[in-house]
Amino acid sequence: MKKTLCIVLALALSMALLAGCGSGGSGSNATTAAGGETTAAPSSGGSGSSGGSESSGVSGTIVSIAAPEDPDTLSPFISGMQGRDYVCQVIYQPVFDWDYNAGVIQPVVAESYEHTDENHTTIKIRENVFDSEGNPITAKDVAFCINSATDSGNFQELSIVKGAEVKGDYEVEVTWSIDITESLEGFQGAMQRVYVVNQEAYEAASDGFSTKPIGTGPYVLENAVQGSEYTFKLSDNYWGEGVLGDYQRGMTNVETIKFVVIPEEAQRPVALETDIVDFSSVSTSDVYLFEDGGTDADDFDLYTSSSVACSMLKYNCAEHIDTTKFSSVGDSIESDDYTSVCSNVNMRKAIAYAIDVDEVIQGVFGGYAMPMHTYGGNPNCGDYNPAWENEDYYDVDLVKGKECLDKALSELGMTADEVNIVLHCNSRETTKRMATIITNDISKLGISAEVSISDVRGSTVDPTIWDIELKDLIGTSGFTPLTWTDAYGDVAWENDEVQGKYNWCFVNDDKLEDYNVRGEMASEYSSEFIEEARQYVIYEMCYQLMLTNATEFAAYKNSVLKNVIYGCNGVIIPQACTYSWN
């Protein structure tokens, strides 16, 4: 085993996640044993945004949580959106998970792991794990779950898994397609996606556990009305009490959890006020009800958090591209030498200086957002640097913008009248409102700008139909560099003649590619490396422009909930919250 590199990785994990990507705080409930194996060890306590969370066993009654959408299926091997994230975390336990408080990998169904070489990991399984029916969990069940989740193709994180084999009653070997010892998040990213079930019970079920799951988590499904509500009660066969310490998704601070599906934002405050739910996210337009002086302020408290998504602009840097080499979309231009005006760095900087981010924050988010000065990532990432917030990050300056525009026009051999910036975005209302403000700001430079709306996935593969794209950068990782390739790391089309030459932004830059590759390597990870890449991408080349990070709100009944715990995926962990009865 590469012991030295494992130590480097452990330090990297601690650095990136110590600040917490979910509920915050610090602590330690894992230790590294001699030889590099990671083993579980109970910690002294977790912590959340508004106080400590203490596991007090089965002493509560019921809590009702508003879920924004229906989970559709409760199967362990199907990925989904937030509705599934809400409910499945109480049904199943993963092989490993992140401990965001301590900044380490959290053993759950497994008790330890060892990278035996670059492509293999040995995982030891706990010997007293059971599902909710009392069926034991052994290595064959864990190997089955790893292979089933991988073979489903539903989890991108598992694309690096070649397979899992049983090596003993409680020992599994995972084979990887990459050097797992050099991957910042490969191991834990994959293993936290694998929910564990008993193989025989799963294969005997006629519905693949989609409606009647038998999981390894602390709760069992008591009642379900699809599209309406799902009720879970504490399992009689839960094995994790006293074993997993303060692992948040394994806690049992409430006896019954009811998830009420409420897709309509406007109905959630009503559900809170009429005692249908005790906790719900609320939109910025409804926050005033629960703020000081609001009609519901006495009975409810507000939980605020930074969104895991940041809005950003990415530029089309296509330069001298033969557009006949790949499929076009809509009214595209066929050219063997196409160049976007945004391939010019001064044009990119001119646009950046024209955009008034504060205007976007007030006009679209009602003031409930913050400007972002990062290269990828968001404030939830453990390596986020608050000092970035004080930088002059293309603060709106039309004088500088017009100076950059004049340089760009001279270099491109164009006049202002010949420039029309096409902003591409999706049809969501918030995005369209942002796009309107941004194009209006760009027009103040003395050039034309328009909005092009499309929900067709991958439509920006055609460089002739857009110049800038407004999109969300989702960052649920604790590591900022792992978000970098969202805009740049993927090949934009499949034609053999051009594959690998350009990425989604049509940037052909070896230095950028080097940063992206090194950004995923544990041995390269450091705050200095992040800053070096950030200076190059944002300030020297202006390849992308981060815009806003919205504040998200939830309201909870203060007679029931005393402390709210969130996971890094932006979802409440009800079993870990502190209640009036704890």
Side-chain angles (χ1 to χ4, degrees), residues 155-187:
F155 306 95
Q156 182 179 355
E157 297 90 340
L158 292 167
S159 63
I160 59 175
V161 175
K162 295 182 71 174
E165 296 182 41
V166 175
K167 294 297 183 180
D169 289 345
Y170 294 95
E171 190 170 283
V172 172
E173 182 180 76
V174 179
T175 302
W176 310 89
S177 61
I178 64 170
D179 182 348
I180 198 63
T181 65
E182 265 284 16
S183 176
L184 268 180
E185 201 174 63
F187 174 74

Side-chain angles (χ1 to χ4, degrees), residues 190-229:
M191 292 300 100
Q192 70 177 353
R193 282 296 193 177
V194 179
Y195 283 139
V196 177
V197 298
N198 178 275
Q199 179 180 356
E200 292 181 4
Y202 178 83
E203 292 177 336
S206 59
D207 65 346
F209 287 175
S210 62
T211 58
K212 298 178 180 179
I214 301 173
T216 46
Y219 294 85
V220 295
L221 181 65
E222 183 180 56
N223 181 59
V225 179
Q226 190 167 19
S228 179
E229 63 181 50

Side-chain angles (χ1 to χ4, degrees), residues 141-380:
D141 302 303
V142 173
F144 166 77
C145 293
I146 293 173
N147 290 328
S148 296
T150 300
D151 293 343
S152 74
N154 291 323
F155 306 95
Q156 182 179 355
E157 297 90 340
L158 292 167
S159 63
I160 59 175
V161 175
K162 295 182 71 174
E165 296 182 41
V166 175
K167 294 297 183 180
D169 289 345
Y170 294 95
E171 190 170 283
V172 172
E173 182 180 76
V174 179
T175 302
W176 310 89
S177 61
I178 64 170
D179 182 348
I180 198 63
T181 65
E182 265 284 16
S183 176
L184 268 180
E185 201 174 63
F187 174 74
Q188 60 270 31
M191 292 300 100
Q192 70 177 353
R193 282 296 193 177
V194 179
Y195 283 139
V196 177
V197 298
N198 178 275
Q199 179 180 356
E200 292 181 4
Y202 178 83
E203 292 177 336
S206 59
D207 65 346
F209 287 175
S210 62
T211 58
K212 298 178 180 179
I214 301 173
T216 46
Y219 294 85
V220 295
L221 181 65
E222 183 180 56
N223 181 59
V225 179
Q226 190 167 19
S228 179
E229 63 181 50
Y230 297 79
T231 302
F232 296 87
K233 295 206 71 172
L234 194 59
S235 170
D236 293 332
N237 291 307
Y238 181 52
W239 56 275
E241 191 73 35
V243 175
L244 296 178
D246 286 338
Y247 170 58
Q248 291 174 338
R249 288 187 174 87
M251 296 173 74
T252 56
N253 284 353
V254 59
E255 184 177 2
T256 302
I257 301 171
K258 178 186 289 186
F259 295 102
V260 182
V261 181
I262 308 178
E264 302 84 5
E265 284 187 346
Q267 294 302 314
R268 294 171 196 163
V270 177
L272 287 163
E273 293 166 341
T274 56
D275 295 328
I276 295 174
V277 296
D278 304 308
F279 173 95
S280 176
S281 62
V282 293
S283 68
T284 54
S285 60
D286 293 319
V287 170
Y288 75 95
L289 295 168
F290 306 96
E291 290 180 319
D292 290 342
T295 56
D296 296 315
D298 291 341
D299 297 324
F300 296 89
D301 289 335
L302 275 175
Y303 178 94
T304 62
S305 60
S306 296
S307 171
V308 297
C310 293
S311 60
M312 64 171 284
L313 277 185
K314 67 177 188 179
Y315 295 91
N316 175 0
C317 298
E319 188 172 15
H320 303 301
I321 285 184
D322 184 351
T323 66
T324 65
K325 298 295 185 182
F326 55 93
S327 299
S328 60
V329 179
D331 297 326
S332 60
I333 301 170
E334 287 196 4
S335 171
D336 60 1
D337 190 26
Y338 179 80
T339 295
S340 167
V341 292
C342 288
S343 65
N344 183 280
V345 63
N346 284 308
M347 182 65 74
R348 299 195 292 269
K349 290 183 177 181
I351 292 171
Y353 279 122
I355 298 170
D356 189 341
V357 175
D358 287 337
E359 181 186 7
V360 172
I361 290 173
Q362 294 300 323
V364 177
F365 299 100
Y368 296 115
M370 63 180 287
M372 289 301 295
H373 296 172
T374 65
Y375 168 33
N378 59 63
N380 298 299

